[in-house]
Amino acid sequence: KIVNNFVASLGGKMKLLSEALSSGDRDQIRMILHEIKGTAGNLRLKNISAAEAMMHDAVKAGANSGTLMPLFQKLEEEVVRLQKCVQNVNM
């Protein structure tokens, strides 16, 4: 149930993250990534955690959007992968 709730919330978080990237709002980016990191870490979702950590480190280092976009896309791929896995389990 906890994983299902997390997966259900990820779509909204990824949308907010995309919007924050588009506007260059680093504080918002960091806040959303921190939320994802906490839950993914607690649930031991290693692929999500690893993708989030790479993006979070880049944001903290002051990376530009050209560097952040591929990292966002990697995180998005992992989110979609998790969503599909959870969907298959729930069938």
Side-chain angles (χ1 to χ4, degrees):
K1 184 175 178 178
I2 295 170
V3 173
N4 286 334
N5 290 338
F6 176 61
V7 169
S9 74
L10 275 175
K13 289 183 190 311
M14 293 303 290
K15 183 178 182 207
L16 291 173
L17 186 55
S18 176
E19 292 168 359
L21 279 168
S22 294
S23 68
D25 187 343
R26 290 189 176 279
D27 290 335
Q28 182 74 1
I29 293 168
R30 288 177 75 173
M31 183 188 75
I32 296 164
L33 288 172
H34 185 73
E35 290 174 10
I36 293 170
K37 175 184 181 179
T39 308
N42 286 335
L43 296 173
R44 292 188 170 95
L45 299 170
K46 293 178 185 176
N47 291 349
I48 300 284
S49 293
E52 179 283 329
M54 288 178 9
M55 187 171 179
H56 198 173
D57 289 346
V59 171
K60 286 177 21 181
N64 63 27
S65 62
T67 301
L68 293 176
M69 283 311 294
L71 297 172
F72 172 76
Q73 290 168 345
K74 176 62 177 165
L75 178 58
E76 195 168 45
E77 288 170 13
E78 294 301 335
V79 166
V80 168
R81 196 167 139 221
L82 175 63
Q83 289 169 331
K84 287 179 182 177
C85 287
V86 168
Q87 184 179 28
N88 287 338
V89 168
N90 289 332
M91 293 182 105

